[in-house]
Amino acid sequence: MSSKKADSSKSVGTAYFTENARVQACLKDLNQHFAEKPLVVSDILDPQGHQYVHLVQKGGGVLGIALVGYTYVLEQMGIRFMRLAGTSAGAINTAMMTIIKNKEDAKSVDIVEILCNLDFFKLVDGHPFARFIISKFVKEPDFSVMVKKWVSRFFIIFALLFLCDFVTFGLQPYYEWARPLCLTLFIITGLYTLVLFIACFYFSTLLTMLKNSGYGINPGDFLYDWIKDNFKKNGVNNVSELNAKASQDIPGLHLRDGVINEAGIDDIKGDVTFITSELVTENKLEFPKMCYLFRKPEDIDKLHPAGFVRASMSIPVFYESYYIKDIPCDDPAIKAAWNNVFDEEDPPSTARFVDGGILSNFPINLFFNENVQIPRLPVFGIDLDDSTPDDSGKHAESWSLGGYLGRMFNTIRDYYDKDFLLKNKVMQEGIGVVPLSKFNWLNFFIQDPEKLDMFATGAEAAAAFLKGFDWDTYKNSYSTVQHQITPNLQSKKSN
């Protein structure tokens, strides 16, 4: 990768994304669509007329660029966010939307500027050889395409060399020119074989290095420092400051005129949640909510919140695990906390985290409140769908290798969230899907035109969702379900 390509992410500004024809067409279409009947998505408003929703953002590596395009359109249509949650790439956009400015302000343009100044190439901060291999494999949406190419080239070259060796060896007795040619080909074949042995030995050495580094190709130090730097620029240096940002008051917050809801708005408070997976005790963790499992109350701010996002983004093998060490596991309060939450009587002294998407890549269940009879604001979710038509179809015999492995992995990581949505189908009415099958979620070598395409695809998905969303239908569906389950809940409590 040349330095010119590596720096290409710095060659464009925010207007490259926000003023794009496809993005502007989305906004124009929405304004025309809601010209006569204004957009209504919530009963919670501020004095400027912004409507508030809860927002959940799915993980997906560099596909997170589409999340920014999606939220940009939502914000341009006057939508703001109360509670926020996300996993992996969704955690990154969630973090930026939490720390930038105030809750009533639009954030997406600022996030676009941050992405414009980010050299994506530096996010792959591992061994040079590993970076080279990654760059070759992740440019195709389907990994199996590149695997087939490399394996095919290997066998074709090897087969051609042996064929030429055999033919020229047989021609030596008859043609004088065949002898030097045969010798040359034998030397080339030997060198090729030697190179392969060296490559295998080097690969074995890299595997040992991989084991010693916590089974991560990239240490993820640049990612952590980048997150921490953005937190600092926005006045967030510890957990307390993050919580203060997430829960800040919104002056003049009120119910929509003419709407009566006995629940009122006093309990409407913002917060933020990043999902990660803890391997030592095999549990799903919610940060910053569960900080008390790792530090005493007076020491909570010794944990930097950038670590929560880094933990959520710890893509297995691609990034090293994230660790929280020196947990006071013998402290009675810490032991009681682990026992109460996870039934763990012997907490670990060191916790090891990998990508939250392993257990919950779309944590929309966090915002379901069984005590609310009539919702005052909806839960919006942004679902990133990178499955290809063939690999997402029902004809299992036609799946590619990538499709097969993808379905197997998605079955594991999506089951928890899917099971919740199957039991609470009303929540699906707030979910918009962004189709991203032509992009590779690990392509950190992505160039500006692809970023723009991804951003615009997110914007178009947001526009389609808003045109199809009906707040009254959502409220009625939610209320109907709640009235059905309330008797059961009361029965369980009485028992």
Side-chain angles (χ1 to χ4, degrees), residues 40-44 51-56 79-83 256 268 364 367-368 372 374-381 426-427 429-431 465-466 469-475 478:
V40 176
V41 299
S42 173
D43 287 338
I44 301 292
Q51 305 181 69
Y52 286 80
V53 304
H54 300 321
L55 182 67
V56 179
I79 298 171
R80 298 293 184 267
F81 312 103
M82 185 63 64
R83 302 181 67 194
R256 183 181 299 278
I268 299 291
I364 198 167
F367 298 154
F368 180 76
V372 173
I374 302 176
R376 294 153 291 177
L377 69 171
V379 177
F380 279 4
V426 63
M427 302 292 281
E429 296 180 20
I431 298 174
F465 167 76
L466 289 178
F469 180 77
D470 187 281
W471 173 228
D472 289 329
T473 299
Y474 182 97
K475 281 200 298 184
Y478 198 104

Side-chain angles (χ1 to χ4, degrees), residues 36 60 103 149 255 276 351 384:
E36 296 184 6
K103 275 197 172 293
K149 286 182 179 179
L255 282 170
T276 186
L384 305 178

Side-chain angles (χ1 to χ4, degrees), residues 405-430:
L405 294 176
R407 289 291 283 250
M408 184 166 58
F409 180 64
N410 288 338
T411 299
I412 298 170
R413 70 173 180 166
D414 292 340
Y415 176 77
Y416 183 85
D417 301 322
K418 187 177 181 180
D419 182 60
F420 169 79
L421 288 171
L422 288 173
K423 295 174 181 176
N424 302 277
K425 293 186 177 180
V426 63
M427 302 292 281
Q428 295 183 12
E429 296 180 20

Side-chain angles (χ1 to χ4, degrees), residues 52-233:
Y52 286 80
V53 304
H54 300 321
L55 182 67
V56 179
Q57 301 183 72
K58 192 174 185 179
V62 296
L63 302 184
I65 297 171
L67 295 173
V68 187
Y70 197 106
T71 55
Y72 173 74
V73 168
L74 296 186
E75 288 185 331
Q76 289 298 302
M77 296 305 294
I79 298 171
R80 298 293 184 267
F81 312 103
M82 185 63 64
R83 302 181 67 194
L84 290 157
T87 301
S88 196
I92 293 178
N93 201 38
T94 292
M96 298 305 169
M97 295 181 71
T98 301
I99 64 176
I100 293 172
K101 297 180 178 176
N102 298 313
K103 275 197 172 293
E104 60 268 32
D105 298 319
K107 322 285 187 77
S108 295
V109 174
D110 298 85
I111 299 174
V112 171
E113 184 175 2
I114 290 172
L115 293 179
C116 287
N117 293 325
L118 171 63
D119 184 351
F120 277 59
F121 182 73
K122 291 182 179 178
L123 292 169
V124 186
D125 56 355
H127 192 279
F129 179 73
R131 298 172 74 183
F132 169 77
I133 294 297
I134 292 172
S135 70
K136 295 300 180 182
F137 275 84
V138 300
K139 292 179 181 178
E140 292 280 353
D142 187 350
F143 288 100
S144 62
V145 172
M146 287 304 298
V147 172
K148 289 177 182 177
K149 286 182 179 179
W150 280 52
V151 172
S152 297
R153 289 170 183 171
F154 165 75
F155 281 111
I156 289 173
I157 293 173
F158 218 63
L160 286 175
L161 283 172
F162 273 104
L163 178 62
C164 291
D165 288 341
F166 179 78
V167 172
T168 54
F169 183 79
L171 293 175
Q172 284 185 98
Y174 307 103
Y175 300 98
E176 191 171 328
W177 55 264
R179 184 172 298 176
L181 179 59
C182 180
L183 179 61
T184 302
L185 288 172
F186 265 75
I187 292 173
I188 293 174
T189 304
L191 290 173
Y192 185 75
T193 305
L194 180 62
V195 168
L196 289 176
F197 274 115
I198 293 173
C200 289
F201 176 77
Y202 187 55
F203 184 72
S204 176
T205 303
L206 287 178
L207 288 178
T208 302
M209 294 171 60
L210 183 65
K211 179 181 178 181
N212 294 335
S213 63
Y215 296 107
I217 297 173
N218 301 289
D221 294 337
F222 179 86
L223 174 62
Y224 176 84
D225 291 338
W226 175 74
I227 298 168
K228 185 176 181 180
D229 183 57
N230 279 287
F231 272 45
K232 183 178 180 180
K233 288 177 180 177

